[in-house]
Structures are given as C-alpha cells and as structure tokens.
Amino acid sequence: MATIDVVEFEIGGENYAFDIHLAREIVEMIPITPIPGAPPYIAGIINLRGEITNVIRINELLSLTEGKKVEDQKIIVLVSNGNEGSGIGIIVDEVHSVNAVSEDDVEQLGDTISSGIDGFIKGIIKVRDAAEDGGKEGLVVWLDMEKILSDIISRHLG
C-alpha cells in the first residue's frame, strides 16, 4: 500500500491539500504589491529575501469562500522549477500539517464533477484520526497544484 505525502491547509473553513514536493516554505503574511490590470486571483508580488514572488489568491481562482482576515493568513511558497524560475505563492487561511496518506484513503471523483472545475482536483482524501475520542473523520480536497500552476502560468504569467 503506497502513501502520498501532502501538505494540508484551510481556506474558508474547508480543508485542502496538495503534494508536499511542490511546497518550498510557509511564510507569515507580508505586504503584497498589487499588479495593475491583473486578474482578481493574482494578489500581486512580494519581495521574499530578494526574490520576486507572484502571490495567488487560490480561493478566488477556485471560487472558494473567503476565510480569515488578510493579516492572519499564510503564504505557501511553491518550488519554482516549473514556472520559468519565477516564484509563486498561494494565500491560505491556515497550514495544518504534512500527512502521509494511504492510496486506500483517496477517493477519485467522477469525470463529470472534476471536469466542471477544470480538472483541478486529484481526489478526495478520507481522514480518520483514531487518536481523538471516538476518532475524527473528515474529507480533504486533494488539489492538482501542478495543473493549477500550469494553467495560471500559461494564461497570465507566461
């Protein structure tokens, strides 16, 4: 039984995840410089230790509800090998954990559902935490961050 390592985060009270190998670091919210004429989901750019990083409002892109106040949010900075060397960060409400997920705990979506949202969802992770009283169960939407990034880059940053 194979496992997949994912970083789990929250947006608007719901849990999402993507493959951990795509995450470089997590930073506290810092001032973002807006880019005139950019689509609403592009928050702007930040100077992260001398590197210009594009910042994406993932909730806007995926039509998710807004969560915490901006100053309480986090930015997950992604590895920059697939985006022409330009850094990209995504704004999330909270970063929960890095989890090793068994493939048995991943449910694939039907074609009609996943195609309706541009195929940005890899599957649904069923969470079972036996450590708590009675066990905690929930669902985490596993995002195809590589597909999301390639779509953003080809449309607006490329």
Side-chain angles (χ1 to χ4, degrees), residues 99-138:
N99 296 323
V101 177
S102 166
E103 286 181 344
D104 292 342
D105 289 333
V106 177
E107 186 79 28
Q108 300 302 318
L109 293 177
D111 289 340
T112 55
I113 294 174
S114 61
S115 66
I117 45 180
D118 295 327
F120 290 157
I121 297 178
K122 283 185 160 183
I124 305 296
I125 301 169
K126 296 175 273 186
V127 178
R128 289 186 277 274
D129 186 359
E132 294 181 12
D133 293 343
K136 179 184 120 190
E137 292 191 16

PDB file of all heavy atoms in Angstrom, residues 99-138:
ATOM      1  N   ASN A  99       0.976  15.319   5.905  1.00  0.00           N
ATOM      2  CA  ASN A  99       0.439  13.992   6.187  1.00  0.00           C
ATOM      3  C   ASN A  99       0.883  12.979   5.140  1.00  0.00           C
ATOM      4  O   ASN A  99       0.977  13.309   3.951  1.00  0.00           O
ATOM      5  CB  ASN A  99      -1.096  14.022   6.190  1.00  0.00           C
ATOM      6  CG  ASN A  99      -1.655  14.888   7.279  1.00  0.00           C
ATOM      7  OD1 ASN A  99      -1.123  14.935   8.381  1.00  0.00           O
ATOM      8  ND2 ASN A  99      -2.737  15.592   6.983  1.00  0.00           N
ATOM      9  N   ALA A 100       1.117  11.768   5.595  1.00  0.00           N
ATOM     10  CA  ALA A 100       1.323  10.642   4.686  1.00  0.00           C
ATOM     11  C   ALA A 100      -0.037   9.971   4.525  1.00  0.00           C
ATOM     12  O   ALA A 100      -0.614   9.470   5.491  1.00  0.00           O
ATOM     13  CB  ALA A 100       2.346   9.667   5.252  1.00  0.00           C
ATOM     14  N   VAL A 101      -0.571  10.008   3.320  1.00  0.00           N
ATOM     15  CA  VAL A 101      -1.914   9.499   3.050  1.00  0.00           C
ATOM     16  C   VAL A 101      -1.804   8.193   2.285  1.00  0.00           C
ATOM     17  O   VAL A 101      -1.085   8.101   1.290  1.00  0.00           O
ATOM     18  CB  VAL A 101      -2.720  10.529   2.221  1.00  0.00           C
ATOM     19  CG1 VAL A 101      -4.088  10.001   1.865  1.00  0.00           C
ATOM     20  CG2 VAL A 101      -2.811  11.853   2.948  1.00  0.00           C
ATOM     21  N   SER A 102      -2.526   7.195   2.749  1.00  0.00           N
ATOM     22  CA  SER A 102      -2.569   5.920   2.048  1.00  0.00           C
ATOM     23  C   SER A 102      -3.425   6.065   0.792  1.00  0.00           C
ATOM     24  O   SER A 102      -4.457   6.743   0.811  1.00  0.00           O
ATOM     25  CB  SER A 102      -3.179   4.850   2.963  1.00  0.00           C
ATOM     26  OG  SER A 102      -3.528   3.719   2.215  1.00  0.00           O
ATOM     27  N   GLU A 103      -3.013   5.432  -0.280  1.00  0.00           N
ATOM     28  CA  GLU A 103      -3.809   5.471  -1.515  1.00  0.00           C
ATOM     29  C   GLU A 103      -5.209   4.907  -1.286  1.00  0.00           C
ATOM     30  O   GLU A 103      -6.151   5.281  -1.973  1.00  0.00           O
ATOM     31  CB  GLU A 103      -3.104   4.704  -2.631  1.00  0.00           C
ATOM     32  CG  GLU A 103      -1.917   5.441  -3.204  1.00  0.00           C
ATOM     33  CD  GLU A 103      -1.238   4.686  -4.334  1.00  0.00           C
ATOM     34  OE1 GLU A 103      -1.470   3.470  -4.487  1.00  0.00           O
ATOM     35  OE2 GLU A 103      -0.470   5.326  -5.068  1.00  0.00           O
ATOM     36  N   ASP A 104      -5.362   4.018  -0.294  1.00  0.00           N
ATOM     37  CA  ASP A 104      -6.674   3.454   0.033  1.00  0.00           C
ATOM     38  C   ASP A 104      -7.627   4.509   0.589  1.00  0.00           C
ATOM     39  O   ASP A 104      -8.838   4.316   0.578  1.00  0.00           O
ATOM     40  CB  ASP A 104      -6.535   2.321   1.056  1.00  0.00           C
ATOM     41  CG  ASP A 104      -5.827   1.109   0.469  1.00  0.00           C
ATOM     42  OD1 ASP A 104      -5.750   0.997  -0.774  1.00  0.00           O
ATOM     43  OD2 ASP A 104      -5.340   0.282   1.264  1.00  0.00           O
ATOM     44  N   ASP A 105      -7.072   5.608   1.115  1.00  0.00           N
ATOM     45  CA  ASP A 105      -7.893   6.659   1.696  1.00  0.00           C
ATOM     46  C   ASP A 105      -8.211   7.774   0.703  1.00  0.00           C
ATOM     47  O   ASP A 105      -8.719   8.827   1.093  1.00  0.00           O
ATOM     48  CB  ASP A 105      -7.198   7.262   2.922  1.00  0.00           C
ATOM     49  CG  ASP A 105      -7.190   6.311   4.101  1.00  0.00           C
ATOM     50  OD1 ASP A 105      -8.095   5.450   4.180  1.00  0.00           O
ATOM     51  OD2 ASP A 105      -6.275   6.408   4.936  1.00  0.00           O
ATOM     52  N   VAL A 106      -7.900   7.559  -0.575  1.00  0.00           N
ATOM     53  CA  VAL A 106      -8.181   8.566  -1.608  1.00  0.00           C
ATOM     54  C   VAL A 106      -9.301   8.059  -2.498  1.00  0.00           C
ATOM     55  O   VAL A 106      -9.233   6.957  -3.047  1.00  0.00           O
ATOM     56  CB  VAL A 106      -6.925   8.874  -2.453  1.00  0.00           C
ATOM     57  CG1 VAL A 106      -7.267   9.860  -3.563  1.00  0.00           C
ATOM     58  CG2 VAL A 106      -5.801   9.402  -1.584  1.00  0.00           C
ATOM     59  N   GLU A 107     -10.331   8.881  -2.623  1.00  0.00           N
ATOM     60  CA  GLU A 107     -11.465   8.565  -3.487  1.00  0.00           C
ATOM     61  C   GLU A 107     -11.360   9.432  -4.738  1.00  0.00           C
ATOM     62  O   GLU A 107     -11.192  10.656  -4.641  1.00  0.00           O
ATOM     63  CB  GLU A 107     -12.764   8.876  -2.741  1.00  0.00           C
ATOM     64  CG  GLU A 107     -14.014   8.474  -3.461  1.00  0.00           C
ATOM     65  CD  GLU A 107     -14.300   6.988  -3.340  1.00  0.00           C
ATOM     66  OE1 GLU A 107     -13.895   6.368  -2.341  1.00  0.00           O
ATOM     67  OE2 GLU A 107     -14.919   6.451  -4.270  1.00  0.00           O
ATOM     68  N   GLN A 108     -11.434   8.813  -5.889  1.00  0.00           N
ATOM     69  CA  GLN A 108     -11.377   9.567  -7.144  1.00  0.00           C
ATOM     70  C   GLN A 108     -12.755  10.105  -7.478  1.00  0.00           C
ATOM     71  O   GLN A 108     -13.762   9.472  -7.193  1.00  0.00           O
ATOM     72  CB  GLN A 108     -10.886   8.667  -8.288  1.00  0.00           C
ATOM     73  CG  GLN A 108      -9.495   8.097  -8.065  1.00  0.00           C
ATOM     74  CD  GLN A 108      -8.438   9.159  -7.858  1.00  0.00           C
ATOM     75  OE1 GLN A 108      -8.426  10.166  -8.538  1.00  0.00           O
ATOM     76  NE2 GLN A 108      -7.547   8.937  -6.908  1.00  0.00           N
ATOM     77  N   LEU A 109     -12.806  11.295  -8.063  1.00  0.00           N
ATOM     78  CA  LEU A 109     -14.068  11.893  -8.478  1.00  0.00           C
ATOM     79  C   LEU A 109     -14.443  11.390  -9.855  1.00  0.00           C
ATOM     80  O   LEU A 109     -13.587  11.063 -10.671  1.00  0.00           O
ATOM     81  CB  LEU A 109     -13.952  13.417  -8.526  1.00  0.00           C
ATOM     82  CG  LEU A 109     -13.745  14.126  -7.202  1.00  0.00           C
ATOM     83  CD1 LEU A 109     -13.576  15.617  -7.456  1.00  0.00           C
ATOM     84  CD2 LEU A 109     -14.905  13.884  -6.279  1.00  0.00           C
ATOM     85  N   GLY A 110     -15.721  11.392 -10.125  1.00  0.00           N
ATOM     86  CA  GLY A 110     -16.180  11.046 -11.468  1.00  0.00           C
ATOM     87  C   GLY A 110     -15.793  12.126 -12.461  1.00  0.00           C
ATOM     88  O   GLY A 110     -15.558  13.273 -12.083  1.00  0.00           O
ATOM     89  N   ASP A 111     -15.735  11.783 -13.719  1.00  0.00           N
ATOM     90  CA  ASP A 111     -15.328  12.729 -14.759  1.00  0.00           C
ATOM     91  C   ASP A 111     -16.211  13.964 -14.819  1.00  0.00           C
ATOM     92  O   ASP A 111     -15.745  15.060 -15.066  1.00  0.00           O
ATOM     93  CB  ASP A 111     -15.314  12.056 -16.129  1.00  0.00           C
ATOM     94  CG  ASP A 111     -14.173  11.072 -16.266  1.00  0.00           C
ATOM     95  OD1 ASP A 111     -13.201  11.186 -15.497  1.00  0.00           O
ATOM     96  OD2 ASP A 111     -14.267  10.181 -17.130  1.00  0.00           O
ATOM     97  N   THR A 112     -17.507  13.799 -14.600  1.00  0.00           N
ATOM     98  CA  THR A 112     -18.406  14.942 -14.738  1.00  0.00           C
ATOM     99  C   THR A 112     -18.150  15.987 -13.660  1.00  0.00           C
ATOM    100  O   THR A 112     -18.213  17.177 -13.924  1.00  0.00           O
ATOM    101  CB  THR A 112     -19.881  14.501 -14.663  1.00  0.00           C
ATOM    102  OG1 THR A 112     -20.081  13.765 -13.452  1.00  0.00           O
ATOM    103  CG2 THR A 112     -20.250  13.651 -15.851  1.00  0.00           C
ATOM    104  N   ILE A 113     -17.821  15.568 -12.451  1.00  0.00           N
ATOM    105  CA  ILE A 113     -17.567  16.531 -11.381  1.00  0.00           C
ATOM    106  C   ILE A 113     -16.222  17.202 -11.583  1.00  0.00           C
ATOM    107  O   ILE A 113     -16.109  18.417 -11.535  1.00  0.00           O
ATOM    108  CB  ILE A 113     -17.630  15.843  -9.995  1.00  0.00           C
ATOM    109  CG1 ILE A 113     -19.048  15.362  -9.729  1.00  0.00           C
ATOM    110  CG2 ILE A 113     -17.174  16.782  -8.908  1.00  0.00           C
ATOM    111  CD1 ILE A 113     -19.204  14.556  -8.475  1.00  0.00           C
ATOM    112  N   SER A 114     -15.170  16.416 -11.787  1.00  0.00           N
ATOM    113  CA  SER A 114     -13.834  17.002 -11.875  1.00  0.00           C
ATOM    114  C   SER A 114     -13.650  17.850 -13.124  1.00  0.00           C
ATOM    115  O   SER A 114     -12.909  18.820 -13.103  1.00  0.00           O
ATOM    116  CB  SER A 114     -12.757  15.912 -11.801  1.00  0.00           C
ATOM    117  OG  SER A 114     -12.894  15.016 -12.865  1.00  0.00           O
ATOM    118  N   SER A 115     -14.328  17.525 -14.212  1.00  0.00           N
ATOM    119  CA  SER A 115     -14.166  18.330 -15.423  1.00  0.00           C
ATOM    120  C   SER A 115     -14.851  19.682 -15.289  1.00  0.00           C
ATOM    121  O   SER A 115     -14.453  20.637 -15.926  1.00  0.00           O
ATOM    122  CB  SER A 115     -14.709  17.586 -16.645  1.00  0.00           C
ATOM    123  OG  SER A 115     -16.110  17.422 -16.533  1.00  0.00           O
ATOM    124  N   GLY A 116     -15.856  19.765 -14.434  1.00  0.00           N
ATOM    125  CA  GLY A 116     -16.570  21.021 -14.235  1.00  0.00           C
ATOM    126  C   GLY A 116     -15.729  22.075 -13.552  1.00  0.00           C
ATOM    127  O   GLY A 116     -16.042  23.240 -13.602  1.00  0.00           O
ATOM    128  N   ILE A 117     -14.660  21.683 -12.907  1.00  0.00           N
ATOM    129  CA  ILE A 117     -13.781  22.640 -12.233  1.00  0.00           C
ATOM    130  C   ILE A 117     -12.387  22.566 -12.837  1.00  0.00           C
ATOM    131  O   ILE A 117     -11.388  22.616 -12.150  1.00  0.00           O
ATOM    132  CB  ILE A 117     -13.767  22.420 -10.708  1.00  0.00           C
ATOM    133  CG1 ILE A 117     -13.626  20.950 -10.399  1.00  0.00           C
ATOM    134  CG2 ILE A 117     -14.974  23.019 -10.052  1.00  0.00           C
ATOM    135  CD1 ILE A 117     -13.595  20.624  -8.935  1.00  0.00           C
ATOM    136  N   ASP A 118     -12.363  22.434 -14.145  1.00  0.00           N
ATOM    137  CA  ASP A 118     -11.124  22.420 -14.925  1.00  0.00           C
ATOM    138  C   ASP A 118     -10.190  21.279 -14.546  1.00  0.00           C
ATOM    139  O   ASP A 118      -9.004  21.336 -14.814  1.00  0.00           O
ATOM    140  CB  ASP A 118     -10.380  23.754 -14.802  1.00  0.00           C
ATOM    141  CG  ASP A 118     -11.167  24.898 -15.414  1.00  0.00           C
ATOM    142  OD1 ASP A 118     -11.879  24.638 -16.407  1.00  0.00           O
ATOM    143  OD2 ASP A 118     -11.076  26.017 -14.925  1.00  0.00           O
ATOM    144  N   GLY A 119     -10.709  20.239 -13.897  1.00  0.00           N
ATOM    145  CA  GLY A 119      -9.876  19.093 -13.543  1.00  0.00           C
ATOM    146  C   GLY A 119      -8.803  19.425 -12.520  1.00  0.00           C
ATOM    147  O   GLY A 119      -7.759  18.786 -12.482  1.00  0.00           O
ATOM    148  N   PHE A 120      -9.037  20.424 -11.671  1.00  0.00           N
ATOM    149  CA  PHE A 120      -8.045  20.840 -10.683  1.00  0.00           C
ATOM    150  C   PHE A 120      -8.040  19.963  -9.434  1.00  0.00           C
ATOM    151  O   PHE A 120      -7.275  20.209  -8.521  1.00  0.00           O
ATOM    152  CB  PHE A 120      -8.276  22.296 -10.262  1.00  0.00           C
ATOM    153  CG  PHE A 120      -7.950  23.311 -11.330  1.00  0.00           C
ATOM    154  CD1 PHE A 120      -8.533  24.564 -11.296  1.00  0.00           C
ATOM    155  CD2 PHE A 120      -7.069  23.024 -12.361  1.00  0.00           C
ATOM    156  CE1 PHE A 120      -8.243  25.519 -12.260  1.00  0.00           C
ATOM    157  CE2 PHE A 120      -6.765  23.968 -13.332  1.00  0.00           C
ATOM    158  CZ  PHE A 120      -7.351  25.208 -13.280  1.00  0.00           C
ATOM    159  N   ILE A 121      -8.914  18.968  -9.359  1.00  0.00           N
ATOM    160  CA  ILE A 121      -8.987  18.104  -8.176  1.00  0.00           C
ATOM    161  C   ILE A 121      -8.497  16.710  -8.528  1.00  0.00           C
ATOM    162  O   ILE A 121      -8.978  16.086  -9.468  1.00  0.00           O
ATOM    163  CB  ILE A 121     -10.422  18.047  -7.628  1.00  0.00           C
ATOM    164  CG1 ILE A 121     -10.844  19.433  -7.161  1.00  0.00           C
ATOM    165  CG2 ILE A 121     -10.537  17.035  -6.499  1.00  0.00           C
ATOM    166  CD1 ILE A 121     -12.253  19.514  -6.640  1.00  0.00           C
ATOM    167  N   LYS A 122      -7.491  16.231  -7.755  1.00  0.00           N
ATOM    168  CA  LYS A 122      -6.959  14.885  -7.956  1.00  0.00           C
ATOM    169  C   LYS A 122      -7.832  13.831  -7.310  1.00  0.00           C
ATOM    170  O   LYS A 122      -7.903  12.707  -7.771  1.00  0.00           O
ATOM    171  CB  LYS A 122      -5.555  14.767  -7.362  1.00  0.00           C
ATOM    172  CG  LYS A 122      -4.470  15.377  -8.181  1.00  0.00           C
ATOM    173  CD  LYS A 122      -3.144  15.075  -7.518  1.00  0.00           C
ATOM    174  CE  LYS A 122      -1.997  15.203  -8.474  1.00  0.00           C
ATOM    175  NZ  LYS A 122      -0.731  14.838  -7.851  1.00  0.00           N
ATOM    176  N   GLY A 123      -8.460  14.195  -6.198  1.00  0.00           N
ATOM    177  CA  GLY A 123      -9.301  13.256  -5.484  1.00  0.00           C
ATOM    178  C   GLY A 123      -9.715  13.819  -4.139  1.00  0.00           C
ATOM    179  O   GLY A 123      -9.407  14.961  -3.798  1.00  0.00           O
ATOM    180  N   ILE A 124     -10.407  12.998  -3.365  1.00  0.00           N
ATOM    181  CA  ILE A 124     -10.848  13.361  -2.025  1.00  0.00           C
ATOM    182  C   ILE A 124     -10.163  12.422  -1.040  1.00  0.00           C
ATOM    183  O   ILE A 124     -10.226  11.198  -1.191  1.00  0.00           O
ATOM    184  CB  ILE A 124     -12.381  13.233  -1.879  1.00  0.00           C
ATOM    185  CG1 ILE A 124     -13.096  14.060  -2.949  1.00  0.00           C
ATOM    186  CG2 ILE A 124     -12.829  13.613  -0.477  1.00  0.00           C
ATOM    187  CD1 ILE A 124     -12.875  15.550  -2.865  1.00  0.00           C
ATOM    188  N   ILE A 125      -9.508  13.011  -0.040  1.00  0.00           N
ATOM    189  CA  ILE A 125      -8.806  12.225   0.970  1.00  0.00           C
ATOM    190  C   ILE A 125      -9.748  12.040   2.156  1.00  0.00           C
ATOM    191  O   ILE A 125     -10.263  13.019   2.705  1.00  0.00           O
ATOM    192  CB  ILE A 125      -7.511  12.930   1.425  1.00  0.00           C
ATOM    193  CG1 ILE A 125      -6.580  13.136   0.225  1.00  0.00           C
ATOM    194  CG2 ILE A 125      -6.832  12.150   2.543  1.00  0.00           C
ATOM    195  CD1 ILE A 125      -5.406  14.055   0.506  1.00  0.00           C
ATOM    196  N   LYS A 126      -9.971  10.772   2.534  1.00  0.00           N
ATOM    197  CA  LYS A 126     -10.801  10.465   3.698  1.00  0.00           C
ATOM    198  C   LYS A 126      -9.888  10.426   4.919  1.00  0.00           C
ATOM    199  O   LYS A 126      -8.958   9.630   4.968  1.00  0.00           O
ATOM    200  CB  LYS A 126     -11.521   9.135   3.510  1.00  0.00           C
ATOM    201  CG  LYS A 126     -12.501   9.157   2.343  1.00  0.00           C
ATOM    202  CD  LYS A 126     -13.103   7.813   2.094  1.00  0.00           C
ATOM    203  CE  LYS A 126     -12.178   7.054   1.162  1.00  0.00           C
ATOM    204  NZ  LYS A 126     -12.679   5.778   0.709  1.00  0.00           N
ATOM    205  N   VAL A 127     -10.159  11.298   5.887  1.00  0.00           N
ATOM    206  CA  VAL A 127      -9.306  11.424   7.066  1.00  0.00           C
ATOM    207  C   VAL A 127      -9.933  10.671   8.231  1.00  0.00           C
ATOM    208  O   VAL A 127     -11.110  10.831   8.524  1.00  0.00           O
ATOM    209  CB  VAL A 127      -9.136  12.915   7.455  1.00  0.00           C
ATOM    210  CG1 VAL A 127      -8.295  13.052   8.705  1.00  0.00           C
ATOM    211  CG2 VAL A 127      -8.540  13.700   6.306  1.00  0.00           C
ATOM    212  N   ARG A 128      -9.110   9.841   8.861  1.00  0.00           N
ATOM    213  CA  ARG A 128      -9.539   9.140  10.069  1.00  0.00           C
ATOM    214  C   ARG A 128      -8.455   9.329  11.110  1.00  0.00           C
ATOM    215  O   ARG A 128      -7.318   8.915  10.922  1.00  0.00           O
ATOM    216  CB  ARG A 128      -9.731   7.655   9.789  1.00  0.00           C
ATOM    217  CG  ARG A 128     -10.935   7.352   8.941  1.00  0.00           C
ATOM    218  CD  ARG A 128     -11.148   5.860   8.835  1.00  0.00           C
ATOM    219  NE  ARG A 128     -10.319   5.257   7.812  1.00  0.00           N
ATOM    220  CZ  ARG A 128     -10.651   5.185   6.535  1.00  0.00           C
ATOM    221  NH1 ARG A 128     -11.772   5.695   6.128  1.00  0.00           N
ATOM    222  NH2 ARG A 128      -9.856   4.602   5.670  1.00  0.00           N
ATOM    223  N   ASP A 129      -8.800   9.973  12.213  1.00  0.00           N
ATOM    224  CA  ASP A 129      -7.842  10.206  13.287  1.00  0.00           C
ATOM    225  C   ASP A 129      -8.320   9.479  14.531  1.00  0.00           C
ATOM    226  O   ASP A 129      -9.177   9.948  15.266  1.00  0.00           O
ATOM    227  CB  ASP A 129      -7.714  11.709  13.564  1.00  0.00           C
ATOM    228  CG  ASP A 129      -6.628  12.026  14.567  1.00  0.00           C
ATOM    229  OD1 ASP A 129      -5.983  11.075  15.073  1.00  0.00           O
ATOM    230  OD2 ASP A 129      -6.421  13.204  14.856  1.00  0.00           O
ATOM    231  N   ALA A 130      -7.754   8.306  14.763  1.00  0.00           N
ATOM    232  CA  ALA A 130      -8.175   7.475  15.892  1.00  0.00           C
ATOM    233  C   ALA A 130      -7.631   7.985  17.211  1.00  0.00           C
ATOM    234  O   ALA A 130      -8.023   7.510  18.272  1.00  0.00           O
ATOM    235  CB  ALA A 130      -7.726   6.035  15.659  1.00  0.00           C
ATOM    236  N   ALA A 131      -6.736   8.950  17.186  1.00  0.00           N
ATOM    237  CA  ALA A 131      -6.117   9.440  18.414  1.00  0.00           C
ATOM    238  C   ALA A 131      -7.101  10.210  19.289  1.00  0.00           C
ATOM    239  O   ALA A 131      -6.974  10.225  20.500  1.00  0.00           O
ATOM    240  CB  ALA A 131      -4.917  10.322  18.080  1.00  0.00           C
ATOM    241  N   GLU A 132      -8.079  10.833  18.663  1.00  0.00           N
ATOM    242  CA  GLU A 132      -9.051  11.608  19.434  1.00  0.00           C
ATOM    243  C   GLU A 132     -10.192  10.709  19.886  1.00  0.00           C
ATOM    244  O   GLU A 132     -10.404   9.627  19.352  1.00  0.00           O
ATOM    245  CB  GLU A 132      -9.589  12.761  18.584  1.00  0.00           C
ATOM    246  CG  GLU A 132      -8.524  13.775  18.252  1.00  0.00           C
ATOM    247  CD  GLU A 132      -9.087  14.927  17.437  1.00  0.00           C
ATOM    248  OE1 GLU A 132     -10.323  15.053  17.338  1.00  0.00           O
ATOM    249  OE2 GLU A 132      -8.269  15.691  16.912  1.00  0.00           O
ATOM    250  N   ASP A 133     -10.935  11.180  20.865  1.00  0.00           N
ATOM    251  CA  ASP A 133     -12.067  10.405  21.377  1.00  0.00           C
ATOM    252  C   ASP A 133     -13.047  10.094  20.252  1.00  0.00           C
ATOM    253  O   ASP A 133     -13.551  10.988  19.597  1.00  0.00           O
ATOM    254  CB  ASP A 133     -12.801  11.180  22.472  1.00  0.00           C
ATOM    255  CG  ASP A 133     -11.947  11.354  23.711  1.00  0.00           C
ATOM    256  OD1 ASP A 133     -10.947  10.616  23.852  1.00  0.00           O
ATOM    257  OD2 ASP A 133     -12.277  12.227  24.510  1.00  0.00           O
ATOM    258  N   GLY A 134     -13.295   8.834  20.051  1.00  0.00           N
ATOM    259  CA  GLY A 134     -14.242   8.424  19.033  1.00  0.00           C
ATOM    260  C   GLY A 134     -13.721   8.536  17.621  1.00  0.00           C
ATOM    261  O   GLY A 134     -14.381   8.130  16.684  1.00  0.00           O
ATOM    262  N   GLY A 135     -12.543   9.075  17.448  1.00  0.00           N
ATOM    263  CA  GLY A 135     -11.961   9.210  16.107  1.00  0.00           C
ATOM    264  C   GLY A 135     -12.573  10.368  15.347  1.00  0.00           C
ATOM    265  O   GLY A 135     -13.757  10.618  15.416  1.00  0.00           O
ATOM    266  N   LYS A 136     -11.750  11.114  14.648  1.00  0.00           N
ATOM    267  CA  LYS A 136     -12.203  12.250  13.849  1.00  0.00           C
ATOM    268  C   LYS A 136     -12.225  11.828  12.391  1.00  0.00           C
ATOM    269  O   LYS A 136     -11.255  11.303  11.880  1.00  0.00           O
ATOM    270  CB  LYS A 136     -11.246  13.423  14.061  1.00  0.00           C
ATOM    271  CG  LYS A 136     -11.596  14.656  13.262  1.00  0.00           C
ATOM    272  CD  LYS A 136     -10.553  15.725  13.466  1.00  0.00           C
ATOM    273  CE  LYS A 136      -9.953  16.039  12.118  1.00  0.00           C
ATOM    274  NZ  LYS A 136      -8.802  16.876  12.151  1.00  0.00           N
ATOM    275  N   GLU A 137     -13.317  12.061  11.748  1.00  0.00           N
ATOM    276  CA  GLU A 137     -13.410  11.738  10.328  1.00  0.00           C
ATOM    277  C   GLU A 137     -13.711  13.019   9.563  1.00  0.00           C
ATOM    278  O   GLU A 137     -14.370  13.914  10.073  1.00  0.00           O
ATOM    279  CB  GLU A 137     -14.506  10.708  10.075  1.00  0.00           C
ATOM    280  CG  GLU A 137     -14.179   9.345  10.643  1.00  0.00           C
ATOM    281  CD  GLU A 137     -15.135   8.287  10.169  1.00  0.00           C
ATOM    282  OE1 GLU A 137     -15.852   8.516   9.190  1.00  0.00           O
ATOM    283  OE2 GLU A 137     -15.145   7.224  10.786  1.00  0.00           O
ATOM    284  N   GLY A 138     -13.204  13.096   8.361  1.00  0.00           N
ATOM    285  CA  GLY A 138     -13.459  14.266   7.540  1.00  0.00           C
ATOM    286  C   GLY A 138     -12.973  14.029   6.125  1.00  0.00           C
ATOM    287  O   GLY A 138     -12.439  12.974   5.807  1.00  0.00           O
TER     288      GLY A 138
END
